[in-house]
Amino acid sequence: MSGQPQTGGGPRPVLALSGGIGGSKLALGLARVLSPGALTVVANTGDDFEHLGLHISPDIDTVTYTLAGVQNPETGWGRADETWSFMTALHELGAETWFQLGDRDLAVHVERTRRLRAGVPLSEITADIGRSFGIASRILPMTDRRVRTRVITQDGPLDFQRYFVEQRCAPAVTGFVFDGAPEAKPHPDILAMLCNPELRAVVICPSNPYISVDPILALPGLWDALAACNAPVIAVSPIIGHEAVKGPTAKMMAELGYTVDVLTVAQHYRGLLDGLVIDTVDAAMAGRLHVPVVVCPTLMRSLSDREELATAVLGFADRLGRCARRTG
Ligand code: GDP
Protein backbone atom coordinates (compact mmCIF):
# COMPACT_ATOMS: atom_id res chain seq x y z
CA MET A 1 0.00 0.00 0.00
CA SER A 2 1.11 3.53 -0.66
CA GLY A 3 0.65 5.44 2.53
CA GLN A 4 -3.04 6.22 1.91
CA PRO A 5 -3.06 9.84 3.13
CA GLN A 6 -6.31 10.39 4.97
CA THR A 7 -8.28 13.41 5.99
CA GLY A 8 -11.27 13.64 8.28
CA GLY A 9 -13.35 12.74 5.21
CA GLY A 10 -11.46 9.52 4.39
CA PRO A 11 -8.78 8.74 1.82
CA ARG A 12 -7.80 11.56 -0.49
CA PRO A 13 -9.14 11.18 -4.04
CA VAL A 14 -6.96 10.48 -7.07
CA LEU A 15 -7.95 11.33 -10.63
CA ALA A 16 -6.52 9.33 -13.54
CA LEU A 17 -6.89 10.19 -17.23
CA SER A 18 -6.94 7.10 -19.39
CA GLY A 19 -7.37 5.69 -22.84
CA GLY A 20 -7.82 1.96 -23.24
CA ILE A 21 -5.18 -0.71 -22.94
CA GLY A 22 -2.13 1.16 -21.60
CA GLY A 23 -4.13 3.48 -19.38
CA SER A 24 -6.25 0.78 -17.84
CA LYS A 25 -3.16 -1.22 -16.81
CA LEU A 26 -2.01 1.60 -14.55
CA ALA A 27 -5.60 2.36 -13.49
CA LEU A 28 -5.80 -1.20 -12.19
CA GLY A 29 -2.56 -0.74 -10.26
CA LEU A 30 -3.87 2.48 -8.75
CA ALA A 31 -7.20 0.90 -7.85
CA ARG A 32 -5.39 -1.93 -6.07
CA VAL A 33 -3.04 0.21 -3.98
CA LEU A 34 -5.58 2.91 -3.08
CA SER A 35 -8.44 2.59 -0.63
CA PRO A 36 -11.64 1.39 -2.31
CA GLY A 37 -13.43 4.29 -3.95
CA ALA A 38 -10.47 6.71 -3.86
CA LEU A 39 -9.82 6.42 -7.59
CA THR A 40 -11.77 8.10 -10.37
CA VAL A 41 -10.75 7.16 -13.90
CA VAL A 42 -11.67 9.63 -16.62
CA ALA A 43 -11.98 7.67 -19.85
CA ASN A 44 -11.56 9.00 -23.36
CA THR A 45 -14.76 8.87 -25.41
CA GLY A 46 -13.30 10.21 -28.66
CA ASP A 47 -13.03 6.57 -29.83
CA ASP A 48 -16.77 6.02 -29.32
CA PHE A 49 -18.77 5.20 -32.40
CA GLU A 50 -22.03 3.83 -33.64
CA HIS A 51 -21.81 0.42 -35.26
CA LEU A 52 -24.62 -1.97 -36.25
CA GLY A 53 -27.00 0.39 -34.47
CA LEU A 54 -25.05 0.15 -31.22
CA HIS A 55 -23.17 2.78 -29.24
CA ILE A 56 -19.69 1.41 -28.58
CA SER A 57 -17.36 3.03 -26.02
CA PRO A 58 -14.09 1.10 -26.43
CA ASP A 59 -12.00 2.90 -23.80
CA ILE A 60 -14.74 2.93 -21.16
CA ASP A 61 -15.21 -0.79 -21.71
CA THR A 62 -11.49 -1.59 -21.58
CA VAL A 63 -11.19 0.29 -18.27
CA THR A 64 -14.35 -1.36 -16.94
CA TYR A 65 -13.33 -4.89 -17.89
CA THR A 66 -9.78 -4.34 -16.60
CA LEU A 67 -10.89 -2.97 -13.23
CA ALA A 68 -13.42 -5.80 -12.96
CA GLY A 69 -10.73 -8.39 -13.77
CA VAL A 70 -12.70 -9.81 -16.71
CA GLN A 71 -10.58 -8.40 -19.56
CA ASN A 72 -9.04 -10.60 -22.21
CA PRO A 73 -5.37 -10.86 -21.14
CA GLU A 74 -4.15 -11.70 -24.68
CA THR A 75 -5.74 -8.84 -26.61
CA GLY A 76 -6.06 -6.28 -23.81
CA TRP A 77 -9.51 -5.39 -25.19
CA GLY A 78 -12.74 -7.33 -24.89
CA ARG A 79 -13.57 -9.95 -22.30
CA ALA A 80 -11.95 -13.16 -21.22
CA ASP A 81 -13.99 -16.35 -21.68
CA GLU A 82 -15.71 -14.77 -24.64
CA THR A 83 -17.83 -16.62 -27.20
CA TRP A 84 -18.37 -15.46 -30.77
CA SER A 85 -21.76 -16.82 -31.91
CA PHE A 86 -22.99 -13.34 -32.79
CA MET A 87 -20.00 -12.64 -35.06
CA THR A 88 -20.35 -16.02 -36.74
CA ALA A 89 -24.04 -15.41 -37.42
CA LEU A 90 -23.26 -11.90 -38.66
CA HIS A 91 -20.65 -13.28 -41.05
CA GLU A 92 -23.15 -15.82 -42.39
CA LEU A 93 -25.50 -12.94 -43.17
CA GLY A 94 -22.75 -11.25 -45.16
CA ALA A 95 -22.89 -8.28 -42.76
CA GLU A 96 -19.96 -6.07 -41.68
CA THR A 97 -17.56 -7.99 -39.45
CA TRP A 98 -14.48 -5.75 -39.38
CA PHE A 99 -15.17 -4.77 -35.76
CA GLN A 100 -15.10 -7.76 -33.42
CA LEU A 101 -17.94 -7.98 -30.90
CA GLY A 102 -17.95 -10.95 -28.56
CA ASP A 103 -21.24 -12.21 -27.19
CA ARG A 104 -20.68 -11.07 -23.60
CA ASP A 105 -19.27 -7.75 -24.77
CA LEU A 106 -22.30 -7.30 -26.99
CA ALA A 107 -24.63 -7.35 -24.00
CA VAL A 108 -22.90 -4.23 -22.64
CA HIS A 109 -23.31 -2.38 -25.95
CA VAL A 110 -26.97 -3.36 -26.30
CA GLU A 111 -27.81 -2.26 -22.77
CA ARG A 112 -25.84 0.97 -23.07
CA THR A 113 -27.51 1.82 -26.37
CA ARG A 114 -30.98 1.06 -25.02
CA ARG A 115 -30.47 3.38 -22.06
CA LEU A 116 -28.83 6.16 -24.11
CA ARG A 117 -31.89 6.11 -26.41
CA ALA A 118 -34.08 6.44 -23.31
CA GLY A 119 -32.19 9.64 -22.49
CA VAL A 120 -29.93 8.38 -19.70
CA PRO A 121 -26.51 10.13 -19.69
CA LEU A 122 -23.46 8.02 -20.61
CA SER A 123 -21.88 8.79 -17.22
CA GLU A 124 -24.85 7.30 -15.35
CA ILE A 125 -24.91 4.21 -17.54
CA THR A 126 -21.15 3.78 -17.11
CA ALA A 127 -21.49 4.07 -13.33
CA ASP A 128 -24.28 1.48 -13.27
CA ILE A 129 -22.32 -0.94 -15.46
CA GLY A 130 -19.28 -0.48 -13.21
CA ARG A 131 -21.43 -1.19 -10.15
CA SER A 132 -22.86 -4.32 -11.75
CA PHE A 133 -19.27 -5.55 -12.23
CA GLY A 134 -18.51 -4.81 -8.56
CA ILE A 135 -15.96 -2.08 -9.34
CA ALA A 136 -15.23 0.17 -6.35
CA SER A 137 -13.48 2.87 -8.41
CA ARG A 138 -15.47 5.41 -10.36
CA ILE A 139 -15.22 5.33 -14.16
CA LEU A 140 -16.27 8.62 -15.67
CA PRO A 141 -16.63 9.38 -19.38
CA MET A 142 -14.72 12.58 -20.14
CA THR A 143 -18.02 14.13 -21.21
CA ASP A 144 -21.65 13.16 -21.69
CA ARG A 145 -21.62 15.01 -25.00
CA ARG A 146 -20.71 13.54 -28.35
CA VAL A 147 -17.02 13.85 -29.32
CA ARG A 148 -15.59 11.88 -32.24
CA THR A 149 -11.92 11.63 -33.11
CA ARG A 150 -11.11 11.86 -36.78
CA VAL A 151 -7.65 10.94 -37.95
CA ILE A 152 -6.27 13.12 -40.72
CA THR A 153 -4.14 10.91 -42.93
CA GLN A 154 -2.24 11.32 -46.17
CA ASP A 155 -5.19 9.46 -47.78
CA GLY A 156 -7.71 11.92 -46.29
CA PRO A 157 -9.69 12.06 -43.03
CA LEU A 158 -10.87 8.81 -41.47
CA ASP A 159 -13.28 8.09 -38.63
CA PHE A 160 -11.24 6.77 -35.75
CA GLN A 161 -12.32 3.12 -35.78
CA ARG A 162 -11.99 2.91 -39.56
CA TYR A 163 -8.37 4.05 -39.16
CA PHE A 164 -7.63 2.04 -36.04
CA VAL A 165 -9.39 -1.27 -36.60
CA GLU A 166 -10.36 -1.56 -40.24
CA GLN A 167 -7.17 -0.03 -41.69
CA ARG A 168 -4.95 -1.22 -38.81
CA CYS A 169 -3.36 2.25 -38.45
CA ALA A 170 -1.66 1.85 -41.84
CA PRO A 171 -2.25 5.34 -43.36
CA ALA A 172 0.34 7.94 -42.32
CA VAL A 173 -1.20 10.53 -39.99
CA THR A 174 -0.82 14.28 -40.36
CA GLY A 175 -3.14 15.36 -37.55
CA PHE A 176 -6.32 14.80 -35.56
CA VAL A 177 -9.70 16.50 -35.21
CA PHE A 178 -11.92 15.99 -32.18
CA ASP A 179 -15.33 16.64 -33.67
CA GLY A 180 -17.70 18.08 -31.10
CA ALA A 181 -15.00 18.80 -28.50
CA PRO A 182 -15.21 22.61 -28.75
CA GLU A 183 -18.95 22.46 -27.99
CA ALA A 184 -18.69 19.71 -25.40
CA LYS A 185 -18.23 20.24 -21.69
CA PRO A 186 -16.02 18.10 -19.47
CA HIS A 187 -18.16 16.06 -17.07
CA PRO A 188 -18.78 18.54 -14.21
CA ASP A 189 -17.48 16.08 -11.61
CA ILE A 190 -14.03 16.24 -13.24
CA LEU A 191 -13.90 19.99 -12.76
CA ALA A 192 -15.25 19.63 -9.22
CA MET A 193 -12.51 17.11 -8.38
CA LEU A 194 -9.83 19.42 -9.78
CA CYS A 195 -11.05 22.17 -7.43
CA ASN A 196 -11.13 19.85 -4.41
CA PRO A 197 -8.29 20.88 -2.06
CA GLU A 198 -8.11 17.25 -0.87
CA LEU A 199 -7.23 15.92 -4.34
CA ARG A 200 -4.03 13.90 -3.92
CA ALA A 201 -2.88 13.58 -7.54
CA VAL A 202 -3.85 13.71 -11.18
CA VAL A 203 -2.26 10.85 -13.11
CA ILE A 204 -2.01 10.96 -16.88
CA CYS A 205 -1.77 7.25 -17.57
CA PRO A 206 0.65 5.82 -20.16
CA SER A 207 -1.92 6.18 -22.92
CA ASN A 208 -1.49 7.40 -26.47
CA PRO A 209 -1.04 11.19 -26.08
CA TYR A 210 -2.57 12.00 -29.48
CA ILE A 211 -5.69 9.85 -29.60
CA SER A 212 -6.36 8.89 -25.99
CA VAL A 213 -5.32 11.85 -23.84
CA ASP A 214 -5.63 14.80 -26.24
CA PRO A 215 -9.38 14.32 -26.79
CA ILE A 216 -9.79 14.71 -23.01
CA LEU A 217 -7.50 17.76 -22.89
CA ALA A 218 -9.38 19.28 -25.85
CA LEU A 219 -12.55 19.71 -23.82
CA PRO A 220 -13.10 23.40 -23.08
CA GLY A 221 -11.60 24.49 -19.80
CA LEU A 222 -10.00 21.18 -18.91
CA TRP A 223 -6.39 22.04 -19.70
CA ASP A 224 -6.69 25.26 -17.68
CA ALA A 225 -8.39 23.47 -14.78
CA LEU A 226 -5.61 20.87 -14.72
CA ALA A 227 -2.90 23.51 -14.90
CA ALA A 228 -4.55 25.45 -12.08
CA CYS A 229 -5.35 22.57 -9.75
CA ASN A 230 -3.46 22.26 -6.48
CA ALA A 231 -2.74 18.56 -6.78
CA PRO A 232 0.39 17.44 -8.62
CA VAL A 233 -0.18 16.39 -12.23
CA ILE A 234 1.99 13.43 -13.15
CA ALA A 235 2.27 11.62 -16.46
CA VAL A 236 3.70 8.16 -17.03
CA SER A 237 5.43 7.89 -20.38
CA PRO A 238 3.86 5.48 -22.88
CA ILE A 239 7.18 5.54 -24.73
CA ILE A 240 9.96 3.29 -23.45
CA GLY A 241 13.26 3.81 -25.23
CA HIS A 242 12.25 4.64 -28.78
CA GLU A 243 9.15 2.48 -28.93
CA ALA A 244 5.60 2.21 -27.73
CA VAL A 245 4.72 -0.93 -25.83
CA LYS A 246 1.69 -1.53 -28.04
CA GLY A 247 -0.30 0.34 -30.67
CA PRO A 248 0.45 3.26 -32.97
CA THR A 249 1.86 5.88 -30.54
CA ALA A 250 5.44 5.65 -31.84
CA LYS A 251 4.32 5.42 -35.47
CA MET A 252 2.17 8.53 -35.06
CA MET A 253 4.93 10.44 -33.26
CA ALA A 254 7.35 9.73 -36.11
CA GLU A 255 4.77 10.54 -38.80
CA LEU A 256 4.05 13.86 -37.09
CA GLY A 257 7.76 14.67 -37.36
CA TYR A 258 8.84 14.11 -33.77
CA THR A 259 11.63 12.01 -32.35
CA VAL A 260 10.19 8.98 -30.61
CA ASP A 261 11.37 9.43 -27.03
CA VAL A 262 10.37 10.66 -23.58
CA LEU A 263 11.47 14.22 -24.43
CA THR A 264 8.67 14.38 -26.99
CA VAL A 265 6.20 13.07 -24.40
CA ALA A 266 7.32 15.76 -21.93
CA GLN A 267 7.13 18.43 -24.62
CA HIS A 268 3.62 17.31 -25.56
CA TYR A 269 2.35 17.93 -22.02
CA ARG A 270 4.46 21.04 -21.43
CA GLY A 271 2.83 23.52 -19.06
CA LEU A 272 0.66 20.83 -17.51
CA LEU A 273 3.01 18.50 -15.71
CA ASP A 274 4.54 18.63 -12.27
CA GLY A 275 6.31 15.36 -12.84
CA LEU A 276 7.01 12.68 -15.42
CA VAL A 277 7.67 9.02 -14.73
CA ILE A 278 10.04 7.43 -17.24
CA ASP A 279 11.40 3.95 -17.60
CA THR A 280 14.82 2.88 -16.33
CA VAL A 281 15.97 2.36 -19.93
CA ASP A 282 15.53 6.13 -20.40
CA ALA A 283 17.48 7.09 -17.27
CA ALA A 284 20.08 8.96 -19.35
CA MET A 285 17.35 11.34 -20.58
CA ALA A 286 16.32 12.44 -17.08
CA GLY A 287 18.70 15.41 -16.98
CA ARG A 288 17.33 16.76 -20.27
CA LEU A 289 13.72 16.93 -19.12
CA HIS A 290 12.21 20.21 -17.99
CA VAL A 291 10.12 18.62 -15.22
CA PRO A 292 10.94 16.62 -12.09
CA VAL A 293 11.38 13.00 -13.06
CA VAL A 294 11.11 9.61 -11.41
CA VAL A 295 12.97 6.80 -13.13
CA CYS A 296 11.60 3.31 -12.48
CA PRO A 297 10.46 0.20 -14.34
CA THR A 298 7.28 1.17 -16.21
CA LEU A 299 6.64 -1.94 -18.28
CA MET A 300 3.56 -3.52 -16.70
CA ARG A 301 3.58 -7.24 -17.42
CA SER A 302 2.28 -8.59 -14.11
CA LEU A 303 -0.18 -7.43 -11.53
CA SER A 304 2.67 -6.60 -9.17
CA ASP A 305 4.30 -4.46 -11.93
CA ARG A 306 1.06 -2.46 -12.08
CA GLU A 307 0.93 -2.06 -8.30
CA GLU A 308 4.60 -1.10 -8.02
CA LEU A 309 4.28 1.54 -10.74
CA ALA A 310 1.11 2.90 -9.11
CA THR A 311 2.91 3.08 -5.76
CA ALA A 312 5.85 4.91 -7.35
CA VAL A 313 3.53 7.41 -9.03
CA LEU A 314 1.64 8.13 -5.79
CA GLY A 315 4.86 8.44 -3.79
CA PHE A 316 6.18 10.90 -6.39
CA ALA A 317 2.93 12.88 -6.17
CA ASP A 318 3.11 13.02 -2.41
CA ARG A 319 6.69 14.29 -2.52
CA LEU A 320 5.81 16.91 -5.15
CA GLY A 321 2.69 17.89 -3.25
CA ARG A 322 4.88 19.24 -0.50
CA CYS A 323 7.03 21.39 -2.82
CA ALA A 324 6.44 24.49 -4.88
CA ARG A 325 5.38 23.17 -8.24
CA ARG A 326 4.91 23.72 -11.92
CA THR A 327 7.70 25.83 -13.20
CA GLY A 328 7.51 25.39 -16.93
P1 GDP B 1 -5.73 2.30 -26.47
O1 GDP B 1 -6.76 3.38 -26.29
O2 GDP B 1 -6.28 0.92 -26.30
O3 GDP B 1 -4.85 2.49 -27.66
O4 GDP B 1 -4.79 2.40 -25.22
P2 GDP B 1 -4.01 3.59 -24.53
O5 GDP B 1 -3.97 4.81 -25.35
O6 GDP B 1 -4.48 3.68 -23.13
O7 GDP B 1 -2.57 2.92 -24.46
C1 GDP B 1 -1.70 2.82 -25.54
C2 GDP B 1 -0.34 3.20 -25.05
O8 GDP B 1 -0.06 2.45 -23.87
C3 GDP B 1 0.78 2.88 -26.01
O9 GDP B 1 1.45 4.10 -26.30
C4 GDP B 1 1.71 1.96 -25.23
O10 GDP B 1 3.07 2.27 -25.41
C5 GDP B 1 1.31 2.25 -23.80
N1 GDP B 1 1.53 1.11 -22.93
C6 GDP B 1 0.91 -0.09 -22.98
N2 GDP B 1 1.38 -0.89 -22.01
C7 GDP B 1 2.31 -0.18 -21.33
C8 GDP B 1 3.16 -0.48 -20.22
O11 GDP B 1 3.14 -1.57 -19.65
N3 GDP B 1 3.98 0.52 -19.79
C9 GDP B 1 4.04 1.75 -20.40
N4 GDP B 1 4.89 2.66 -19.92
N5 GDP B 1 3.26 2.05 -21.46
C10 GDP B 1 2.40 1.09 -21.91
Side-chain angles (χ1 to χ4, degrees):
M1 302 292 255
S2 53
Q4 303 284 355
Q6 305 258 334
T7 62
R12 292 174 59 198
V14 170
L15 188 68
L17 310 187
S18 177
I21 295 171
S24 62
K25 285 161 83 176
L26 182 59
L28 177 62
L30 289 165
R32 289 178 61 88
V33 301
L34 287 165
S35 299
L39 178 66
T40 296
V41 185
V42 174
N44 168 43
T45 57
D47 298 9
D48 286 22
F49 73 125
E50 287 72 33
H51 183 57
L52 305 173
L54 301 172
H55 179 107
I56 300 181
S57 297
D59 287 353
I60 289 176
D61 291 344
T62 298
V63 173
T64 301
Y65 296 156
T66 302
L67 293 190
V70 301
Q71 84 287 1
N72 181 326
E74 271 93 53
T75 56
W77 55 266
R79 294 184 60 166
D81 301 321
E82 190 56 284
T83 56
W84 299 94
S85 302
F86 171 74
M87 286 309 287
T88 305
L90 206 58
H91 178 71
E92 286 163 4
L93 288 172
E96 278 192 89
T97 54
W98 59 271
F99 194 85
Q100 296 286 301
L101 294 168
D103 299 332
R104 285 189 170 82
D105 189 31
L106 184 62
V108 169
H109 309 312
V110 170
E111 177 62 1
R112 173 191 293 124
T113 306
R114 180 190 72 76
R115 295 190 67 196
L116 280 172
R117 289 202 181 127
V120 182
L122 182 62
S123 52
E124 193 177 323
I125 301 167
T126 304
D128 289 341
I129 293 173
R131 221 169 283 122
S132 71
F133 275 101
I135 298 170
S137 306
R138 183 168 187 206
I139 302 168
L140 198 54
M142 65 186 197
T143 177
D144 277 326
R145 306 282 282 271
R146 180 192 163 93
V147 176
R148 296 290 179 270
T149 297
R150 282 168 70 74
V151 183
I152 312 303
T153 76
Q154 286 180 345
D155 308 336
L158 285 170
D159 288 344
F160 180 77
Q161 296 297 344
R162 291 277 173 191
Y163 163 83
F164 197 72
V165 178
E166 192 184 45
Q167 307 227 10
R168 295 166 193 270
C169 310
V173 303
T174 56
F176 306 91
V177 173
F178 308 120
D179 272 345
E183 299 80 44
K185 290 186 175 67
H187 191 285
D189 291 357
I190 305 172
L191 299 176
M193 276 189 83
L194 292 174
C195 293
N196 179 352
E198 294 304 323
L199 184 67
R200 182 176 173 189
V202 177
V203 181
I204 302 179
C205 289
S207 288
N208 186 316
Y210 307 108
I211 52 174
S212 292
V213 181
D214 278 1
I216 305 176
L217 300 179
L219 295 169
L222 199 48
W223 179 287
D224 290 344
L226 280 163
C229 91
N230 279 324
V233 178
I234 295 179
V236 177
S237 175
I239 296 293
I240 298 180
H242 298 286
E243 288 170 22
V245 178
K246 199 173 191 306
T249 306
K251 179 175 180 283
M252 287 176 171
M253 216 172 247
E255 288 166 357
L256 293 169
Y258 301 113
T259 309
V260 180
D261 62 19
V262 295
L263 296 176
T264 299
V265 175
Q267 188 61 31
H268 188 81
Y269 295 127
R270 196 176 179 110
L272 205 58
L273 297 185
D274 299 298
L276 180 67
V277 178
I278 64 172
D279 196 85
T280 40
V281 307
D282 295 310
M285 303 280 228
R288 296 171 57 201
L289 288 158
H290 64 272
V291 283
V293 169
V294 155
V295 180
C296 67
T298 68
L299 186 58
M300 295 172 279
R301 288 201 190 89
S302 65
L303 201 50
S304 60
D305 291 342
R306 288 159 174 74
E307 292 172 355
E308 279 163 29
L309 181 55
T311 302
V313 169
L314 293 169
F316 188 21
D318 293 343
R319 289 194 299 281
L320 288 169
R322 291 191 288 271
C323 311
R325 299 181 301 106
R326 206 167 290 127
T327 49

